[in-house]
Amino acid sequence: MFKTYVVSSWRHLLRNKTYAFINILGLSLGIACAILIFVLVRFHLSFDTFHKESDRIYRINTEFHDEGINRNAAVPVPLGKAFRNDYTFAETVARVVSYPNTLISIPGDKNTKKFQEDDGIAFAEPQYFDIFDFPTVEGDAKKAMSDPTGALITQTIAKKYFGTEDPMGKRLRFDNKYDYVVRGVLKDLPANTDRKQQIYFGWDSYKNYQPYMASDSSWGGVYSGSQCFARLRPGVTAEAVERAFPSLTKKYYSADDAKVWHFRMQPISDIHFNTDMDGYADKKYLWAVSFIGLFLIVTASVNFVNLATAQALNRSREIGVRKVLGSEPMHVFWQFMAETALITLFALLVGLGLAYAGLPGLNALLRRPMSMDLFGSWTLGAFILATYVLVVFLAGSYPGLVLARFRPALALKGKLDQRHIGGFSLRRILVVLQFSISQLLIIGTLVIARQIYYSEHADLGFVKDGVVTVPLPVTDVVKARTLRDRMLEIPGVERASLCYQPPASQSNNNTSVQYESRPKTENWSINEKYMDDQYIPLFGLKLIAGRNIFPSDTANGFVVNETTVHKLHAGTPLEIIGHQLTVDALKGPIVGVVKDFNNYSFRGDIAPIAFYTYPKSFRTCALRINARTDLHAIERVWNDTYPQYVFSRQFLDERIARFYEQDATLLKLIEIFAGIAIFIGCLGLYGLVSFMAVRKTKEIGVRKVLGAGISQILWLFGREFTRLLGIAFLAAAPVAWWFMHRYLESFKYRITIGWEVFVPALLGTFAIAALTVSYRSWRAAAARPVKSLRSE
């Protein structure tokens, strides 16, 4: 019986190649997208789950309770030691401090090889490799980290630095100052970990690099790369640990500071998804992409159902003969299910091929090395099998039931009509559903695109175009000024400034602030920005009161922003000029107030900021350039000034665009999937119009004989789909508004959703559908009436 079903299905598909092609193409696109989305979601959900006892691994975070609650993934360096010594909650506690964008050099007899490592280096305690399962291929990780001069590198780094030579015992130099010896080689880190550093140095050497931060007294400072991990004992809960933290803060902080400083436990499984701190992927975006995958499967299945029910009348005599010869309704049903299974199998094979072909592009878009090992992962195989079964029953069950209930007498006489297969009602509903999904994706695409455009092109309160930044790799004020002066000699360089970071940056320092003789520091922290006297004019910051700072080697006054004035509650910007401010133990007068500007992305509020001169913390040389500037000249001057280091430069507008990197990636994904959803929908429309043209051949001939023009015949086809697309838009618009309003809520500064989103979405869908319908409709309308009337 099964063989008969398959043979019969195969013959039917050969006789109806267009029907089979449309269905296979639509289903294969939907299945390919679903597989890629599954691979993407599975990859992100697997982050750092491979560590032993990962459900008991936590990261300790800092919370600052001042006017609001601010969270930071980092902690003061001494916290890990205190937590280990004062409490017995954890089996293992480990501190690690990382520094990105660092210089590593390999000293040689003749020349020194230099490498700029974007992922940087980390100083790690030996216990770090007890908590995290990063095995070594040579040496012992804990012994290497117990050695103050010990270094651990990954296999990739070993090959990069030493080629085919044995790396053990080789010398590395960090920051042109600190020498280390390779004591172990780690197996390359898996792609699904948020621990990105590939070079580790012994913890005891950290005090040589940062004496204060490494000391047991640096409780008041939080560097963003300072993290502490703990594996709790069995049975110990995070809540129990957090209840004990207040006693720790009372021990190591003053009574006032203990009210501000709080610590929390974060499960390792939450780190990758917590974008409020340093997480990469927001889970709500993953679920959104997952639903898009489901929508695409539904859209492709809707095509199948529509085309199958539309074609049912063409098969009425076939079904009638089968029933007269003794076939039961269930035999007819399973015959059609076999046909559906065969089409879906072909679609699955094509979809797998498309998924494999599309994976490199997806990896390039996300900059993640995801893999699709069909035979090495039971989860992927199970998903593909489940998708196959779901599509077969989703797409095949209703048309199978429709065919199975045909009455043989009517079928053989050719008297079946649309009423016997449910009329147009179901197909109308399915077309509305299909294009509602397409409209939802189109509206989402337009909203995200407009928000990103707004974020990148809105007035941020400072000049970002035509600004390039180069690093100052060493704390040498004389060299830095020499570099600045030489840069100004390059044609096209209009201004140059030495500073810590540009006005908007992901690297920020926050510290305590005290106004005049108030008895206590304010219960909020202030953002420090170190600058010279050229900073304000270079970035176009607007002074609304007072003046700029004078050229100096030491702080001679503070310039603050409007938000600082408001938070101090000390009068107007003009009234605050001349009053004393203490920032990070440095006291001086407020000499100027600048207009507020966005110092973070549009997702964050404008922070209170204090600008002042502190040359020891200058890390950047900012240049205002024009179109005539020779960028190679900038590189030559920099290399002349810092020959031992590796040159790099960044345009400020590119740095700001990175604030919205995840949004841009989401936009690209939705654009691709929206295009595929529309294409699948258009395939279905084309198929439906083709069957309508066949069914209405005689009607078209009669209408033309009675004087109907081509435009009237075209409207005969178009009016039905125009009405359905309008209903689809009315159904999709409020749902899309709700979802996109929720998305925009994550931005403090955002666009509004108005007609400029909905009208293009509606008109675009109508235009695409009209093009799809018009070609086949025109062919039917342009046919000679005599030929049409003879067709039956």
Side-chain angles (χ1 to χ4, degrees), residues 411-711:
L412 289 172
K413 291 177 180 178
K415 293 184 178 181
L416 288 174
D417 57 26
Q418 294 290 344
R419 292 172 300 165
H420 296 94
I421 60 170
F424 278 113
S425 298
L426 176 67
R427 291 208 296 282
R428 285 170 176 154
I429 293 170
L430 293 179
V431 168
V432 167
L433 173 63
Q434 196 173 46
F435 276 91
S436 293
I437 292 171
S438 298
Q439 296 266 12
L440 186 66
L441 293 176
I442 292 171
I443 293 170
T445 299
L446 292 174
V447 170
I448 297 173
R450 291 187 68 241
Q451 177 62 36
I452 292 176
Y453 183 87
Y454 171 73
S455 301
E456 293 180 349
H457 295 84
D459 182 10
L460 302 178
F462 61 89
V463 174
K464 62 181 177 63
D465 297 319
V467 176
V468 65
T469 61
V470 296
L472 302 176
V474 294
T475 306
D476 187 326
V477 179
V478 175
K479 274 192 173 184
R481 286 183 178 151
T482 300
L483 176 72
R484 181 188 62 188
D485 295 342
R486 290 189 63 191
M487 290 293 185
L488 286 169
E489 296 172 359
I490 299 173
V493 176
E494 299 173 352
R495 286 186 180 274
S497 171
L498 303 177
C499 58
Y500 176 65
Q501 290 291 343
S505 172
Q506 292 178 325
S507 178
N508 294 277
N509 286 337
N510 293 286
T511 190
S512 60
V513 59
Q514 188 172 3
Y515 181 69
E516 282 288 352
S517 57
R518 290 178 181 174
K520 297 189 297 185
T521 59
E522 302 299 318
N523 62 349
W524 42 269
S525 59
I526 197 165
N527 189 316
E528 300 174 285
K529 291 196 179 294
Y530 316 118
M531 65 171 190
D532 63 8
D533 62 299
Q534 295 300 307
Y535 187 91
I536 287 177
L538 186 148
F539 288 107
L541 300 178
K542 299 171 184 175
L543 279 164
I544 59 174
R547 60 169 175 83
N548 191 7
I549 61 172
F550 294 132
S552 175
D553 288 337
T554 58
N556 54 29
F558 296 101
V559 175
V560 298
N561 65 344
E562 291 175 289
T563 298
T564 303
V565 177
H566 297 326
K567 292 176 91 62
L568 286 172
H569 304 292
T572 66
L574 194 59
E575 291 170 342
I576 206 171
I577 300 298
H579 289 272
Q580 296 292 309
L581 196 69
T582 303
V583 176
D584 200 15
L586 183 67
K587 190 171 185 178
I590 297 173
V591 299
V593 179
V594 295
K595 188 176 179 62
D596 273 343
F597 59 90
N598 291 90
N599 62 307
Y600 298 122
S601 79
F602 275 9
R603 281 193 165 89
D605 289 317
I606 295 174
I609 301 171
F611 303 87
Y612 62 97
T613 297
Y614 191 61
K616 288 185 178 179
S617 290
F618 289 164
R619 295 290 181 269
T620 302
C621 179
L623 308 171
R624 174 92 71 82
I625 63 174
N626 58 36
R628 297 185 299 108
T629 308
D630 182 2
L631 295 178
H632 295 294
I634 293 174
E635 182 175 356
R636 284 194 298 270
V637 169
W638 193 94
N639 284 329
D640 288 344
T641 310
Y642 301 107
Q644 293 180 304
Y645 294 85
V646 179
F647 173 78
S648 64
R649 61 171 168 80
Q650 286 183 307
F651 283 94
L652 182 55
D653 55 352
E654 293 175 352
R655 293 180 63 163
I656 291 171
R658 290 180 186 172
F659 287 147
Y660 312 103
E661 208 167 29
Q662 192 175 86
D663 299 280
T665 301
L666 179 66
L667 172 62
K668 196 68 179 175
L669 286 174
I670 293 181
E671 283 177 346
I672 293 169
F673 294 138
I676 292 172
I678 293 169
F679 180 73
I680 293 172
C682 289
L683 277 178
L685 272 185
Y686 183 83
L688 283 175
V689 171
S690 297
F691 284 117
M692 281 180 64
V694 172
R695 300 301 302 177
K696 291 177 178 286
T697 300
K698 192 169 185 178
E699 178 186 345
I700 292 169
V702 171
R703 286 178 179 272
K704 293 191 75 174
V705 167
L706 294 176
I710 289 180
S711 60

Side-chain angles (χ1 to χ4, degrees), residues 86-133:
D86 295 357
Y87 300 100
T88 59
F89 293 118
E91 283 182 347
T92 310
V93 179
R95 294 177 288 177
V96 60
V97 182
S98 59
Y99 289 89
N101 303 312
T102 51
L103 176 71
I104 299 294
S105 51
I106 311 299
D109 296 333
K110 296 181 179 179
N111 55 17
T112 298
K113 293 189 289 184
K114 297 180 292 184
F115 301 92
Q116 190 72 28
E117 296 295 344
D118 293 338
D119 291 330
I121 59 91
F123 297 92
E125 289 188 313
Q127 296 90 332
Y128 181 81
F129 292 96
D130 277 339
I131 295 176
F132 294 101
D133 292 332

Side-chain angles (χ1 to χ4, degrees), residues 1-12 335 342:
M1 182 67 74
F2 177 76
K3 181 180 178 181
T4 303
Y5 287 160
V6 172
V7 170
S8 179
S9 300
W10 177 250
R11 289 172 179 168
H12 176 74
Q335 166 63 47
L342 190 60

Side-chain angles (χ1 to χ4, degrees), residues 87-283:
Y87 300 100
T88 59
F89 293 118
E91 283 182 347
T92 310
V93 179
R95 294 177 288 177
V96 60
V97 182
S98 59
Y99 289 89
N101 303 312
T102 51
L103 176 71
I104 299 294
S105 51
I106 311 299
D109 296 333
K110 296 181 179 179
N111 55 17
T112 298
K113 293 189 289 184
K114 297 180 292 184
F115 301 92
Q116 190 72 28
E117 296 295 344
D118 293 338
D119 291 330
I121 59 91
F123 297 92
E125 289 188 313
Q127 296 90 332
Y128 181 81
F129 292 96
D130 277 339
I131 295 176
F132 294 101
D133 292 332
F134 298 138
T136 57
V137 293
E138 287 188 80
D140 184 276
K142 291 182 66 177
K143 287 182 180 178
M145 294 297 94
S146 299
D147 182 350
T149 63
L152 273 173
I153 60 177
T154 63
Q155 292 170 297
T156 297
I157 293 293
K159 185 176 182 181
K160 177 180 175 181
Y161 290 175
F162 307 110
T164 57
E165 295 180 34
D166 184 2
M168 295 295 287
K170 298 288 186 181
R171 198 154 54 102
L172 306 177
R173 183 167 294 158
F174 165 52
D175 202 26
N176 276 332
K177 297 178 184 176
Y178 309 99
D179 283 1
Y180 293 88
V181 178
V182 177
R183 302 296 186 195
V185 177
L186 292 168
K187 184 179 179 182
D188 280 338
L189 304 183
N192 58 336
T193 178
D194 285 310
R195 316 270 68 79
K196 296 304 178 187
Q197 287 72 38
Q198 299 189 67
I199 303 171
Y200 293 87
F201 297 143
W203 177 259
D204 288 342
S205 66
Y206 182 44
K207 62 179 180 289
N208 300 326
Y209 182 62
Q210 292 287 346
Y212 171 72
M213 292 300 294
S215 69
D216 291 341
S217 59
S218 59
W219 284 93
V222 176
Y223 163 62
S224 60
S226 170
Q227 300 189 350
C228 180
F229 295 90
R231 185 169 64 229
L232 301 183
R233 297 182 185 278
V236 175
T237 64
E239 292 76 16
V241 178
E242 290 178 351
R243 285 195 295 269
F245 277 141
S247 63
L248 184 144
T249 54
K250 289 177 183 177
K251 180 177 179 180
Y252 294 100
Y253 291 96
S254 66
D256 289 334
D257 287 343
K259 296 176 183 177
V260 176
W261 290 77
H262 295 259
F263 299 106
R264 295 286 180 262
M265 302 294 285
Q266 181 186 19
I268 194 173
S269 58
D270 180 64
I271 292 175
H272 186 67
F273 303 105
N274 197 323
T275 52
D276 289 340
M277 287 184 280
D278 58 348
Y280 175 82
D282 194 324
K283 262 190 179 178

